[in-house]
Amino acid sequence: MITLELPNVLCSHNGEKSSVVVDGTCRTVGDALSTLSGRLPGAHNRIMDEQGNVRRHVNVFVNGENIRFLDGLSTPVEGNAIITVIAAVSGG
Amino acid sequence: MVSSTRGKSAAKKRSSTSKKSAATRSLKPKKAIAKRASRSASNGQEALVLVGTMKGAFILRSDKSRKQWKIDGPYFKGEAVYALLHDTRGGRSRTYAAANSMHWGPTLRVSDDLGATWSEPADHTVRFPADAGRAVAQIWQIAAGRPTEPDVLYCGVEPAALFESRDGGETWQPNRGLMNHEHQPKWQPGGGGLCLHTIVVDPQNKQRMLIAMSTGGVYRSDDGGKSWRARNAGVRAQFMPEGQKYPEFGQCVHKVVHHPSRPGRLFLQNHWGLYRSDDWGDSWHDIANGVPSDFGFAMQMHPHDPDTVYIVPIEADMFRATPEAKLRVYRTRNAGKSWEPLTKGLPQHDAYENVLRDALAADSFDSAGIYFGTRSGKLFGSRDEGATWTAMADGLPPIVCVKTGRVGAGAA
């Protein structure tokens, strides 16, 4: 079971819940995030732009590892992976 | 359409979330504005001034005299709001705001109750199609279509592209003629990004419209947006080598304005250069007659006089501050033959200010109100067409956008 954890600011796009269970057949982070496009479009569109890229000031971790330093959206996920979305160090 | 606060939101695609302002206060101007201009704001109507900043939006609402203002906001705290529009076409009183979260991207938000509540769309409705190979970084402009087409809206975005809505902002489509223009790969970002910031529609000819971008310059369509031609003849590109300073395209145009009663006449504030065209941009002529600098960003047409234009000269691209440390609005009343400084009520010492391209606006009352905001967060207003000015707010976040509107019976 793959779990995707959302930051508080995006919980409103998930019925005020902070996590969502993703289809266990997903093989990569990109696959897992893409499943949100139909289920939680508000969250999906805020994490990723319309070209399918993670937004510049958003960080995605898999089991605590930033995917920027792994294989990006191609980073594999398996088993009970936890994907965490966190706002990067920046702000307005 | 957008649900307003009171309720119909659940059935709508967009959910409406309450964002009641944290701060509502009255602003008493430090100085009374000239009494002779008091015939405006009549007929039970009130004036709106919409202010977009780097950290959210504010809405100021006047009493009937426009002497006192109540400010609400910030809306979209922490998000940059580069584009605002109050639209009263079709019997609406709708406010559009382009709020850009550094983290979560740009969204077009809508309020039907003057900011008490805003839509929170699940979808980023202004977005490129997958085959475009690019993503919207920022919405720089929201423009109303013709009065006869109340459901038509346009957005100018970064990277430079034009979007059109024909259903009041519910859905948007990119203009493919411009998006796939043969010049597009050579358009380059200016200091603020590769932004399409100006949208001018011909009120008489539905086939004609004009846009401007930085950098790329002016483009005009005469076939309803199917094709676009660069219209920059006579506009200087200071930053190009000798012999290449008047290219077909690539100019860093900062703003273009026109008056609907004389749409073929256009005024242009360039990255160095002030110009006028009397033939819908086919040719441009220098009108920097008597200004302290022809560099600047902001430009605003008088609402009733097609010969009157306002600008705020800036010293230079390498020193983006008001010349001589004086905050001066310049006005021409003869279509650029001469310009006069308007200073009464504005700081004339130690004022190193900058006013950005969309931060100068006019209302449509009989005695026109003129408003502008600075990058240092000061908002000034004049209700006598620029003769005298009053500080309306001080200490706002950096101001990037000022727009106006009218509310009340018969607003248009």
Side-chain angles (χ1 to χ4, degrees), chain A residues 7 9-10 12-13 41-51 55-58 85-92, chain B residues 54-55 78-79 102-107 109 120-124 126-136 163:
Chain A
V9 69
L10 296 186
S12 62
H13 299 284
H44 180 263
N45 292 329
R46 283 159 178 79
I47 298 167
M48 307 179 79
D49 67 25
E50 59 262 52
Q51 296 301 319
R55 293 187 184 278
R56 181 181 173 194
H57 295 283
V58 175
V85 177
I86 299 179
V89 178
S90 55
Chain B
M54 292 298 291
K55 298 176 187 288
E79 301 187 21
M102 184 176 287
H103 296 100
W104 315 114
T107 51
R109 313 284 288 270
E120 189 168 7
D123 295 326
H124 286 44
V126 182
R127 53 191 285 138
F128 285 105
D131 65 352
R134 61 200 102 154
V136 173
F163 283 77

Side-chain angles (χ1 to χ4, degrees), chain A residues 6-35:
Chain A
L6 298 172
N8 287 341
V9 69
L10 296 186
C11 291
S12 62
H13 299 284
N14 186 34
E16 303 302 334
K17 293 179 289 188
S18 61
S19 65
V20 56
V21 175
V22 176
D23 182 351
T25 64
C26 291
R27 303 179 72 170
T28 66
V29 174
D31 290 344
L33 291 174
S34 295
T35 65

Side-chain angles (χ1 to χ4, degrees), chain B residues 24-27 59-63 68-72:
Chain B
T24 300
R25 57 189 181 276
S26 292
L27 288 178
I59 297 179
L60 290 90
R61 193 168 171 170
S62 78
D63 59 10
Q68 290 190 314
W69 295 84
K70 184 171 75 72
I71 184 168
D72 288 315

Side-chain angles (χ1 to χ4, degrees), chain B residues 330-397:
Chain B
Y330 274 73
R331 175 178 63 189
T332 178
R333 292 166 135 170
N334 51 22
K337 293 188 181 71
S338 63
W339 297 82
E340 58 181 329
L342 306 171
T343 62
K344 192 172 181 182
L346 298 177
Q348 298 302 298
H349 300 283
D350 304 320
Y352 297 94
E353 301 284 5
N354 192 4
V355 178
L356 296 179
R357 72 183 88 236
D358 273 302
L360 173 62
D363 69 27
S364 60
F365 289 101
D366 290 344
S367 176
I370 312 294
Y371 310 89
F372 70 90
T374 71
R375 286 204 69 175
S376 62
K378 300 180 181 72
L379 181 69
F380 292 94
S382 167
R383 65 188 183 94
D384 53 12
E385 313 204 340
T388 59
W389 298 88
T390 296
M392 297 168 63
D394 191 358
L396 298 180

